[in-house]
């Protein structure tokens, strides 16, 4: 493992999200061990889903705003304190949903439906 730098300022169409919770799924362990279908360029963060608070938005982003609680879109690695993700892919999380539950709303339901 190596320390990676924090993400830069979000560019157009991106949001910077401070992670609240990122679960560990079996696919994450496969990816970390290099036996999953994805092969990220190393060094890389792993983790397929999560939830957090928007801390910054890029120019022209209107879908989310600073302070929104959101899930992280598929394709963004989440085992990090902060992540940059496409602003279009976020789903809003109401205050009544805790971070742990919210973090599993993208991949787990799809997996349950498919199996």
């Amino acid at each position: 493992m190596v320390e990676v730098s924090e993400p830069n300022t979000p560019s157009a169409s991106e949001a910077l999200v401070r992670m609240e919770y990122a679960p560990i799924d079996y696919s994450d362990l496969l990816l970390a061990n290099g036996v999953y279908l994805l092969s990220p360029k190393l060094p890389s963060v792993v983790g397929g889903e999560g939830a957090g608070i928007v801390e910054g938005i890029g120019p022209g982003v209107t879908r989310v705003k600073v302070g929104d609680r959101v899930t992280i879109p598929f394709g963004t690695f989440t085992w990090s304190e902060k992540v940059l993700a496409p602003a279009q892919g976020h789903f809003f999380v109401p205050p009544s949903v805790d971070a742990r539950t919210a973090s599993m709303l993208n991949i787990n339901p799809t997996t349950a439906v498919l199996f």
Side-chain angles (χ1 to χ4, degrees):
M1 286 199 256
V2 298
E3 187 77 22
V4 295
S5 58
E6 281 199 10
N8 297 321
T9 304
S11 61
S13 77
E14 288 183 321
L16 177 66
V17 179
R18 178 181 40 84
M19 296 302 299
E20 287 186 290
Y21 204 94
I24 299 172
D25 295 319
Y26 185 66
S27 61
D28 300 327
L29 300 177
L30 293 174
L31 179 63
N33 284 300
V35 293
Y36 195 63
L37 21 128
L38 298 176
S39 297
K41 183 177 181 270
L42 299 177
S44 176
V45 173
V46 296
E49 57 187 343
I53 307 290
V54 175
E55 285 198 341
I57 56 173
V61 170
T62 58
R63 178 162 166 73
V64 296
K65 64 183 183 314
V66 172
D68 285 347
R69 290 184 75 223
V70 295
T71 62
I72 307 303
F74 182 73
T76 301
F77 295 127
T78 59
W79 290 2
S80 184
E81 291 178 21
K82 295 181 181 182
V83 300
L84 278 176
Q88 272 309 100
H90 293 291
F91 291 102
F92 293 97
V93 177
S96 61
V97 178
D98 65 279
R100 181 179 176 187
T101 301
S103 72
M104 296 182 273
L105 292 176
N106 286 352
I107 295 175
N108 282 304
T110 305
T111 302
V113 168
L114 293 174
F115 291 99

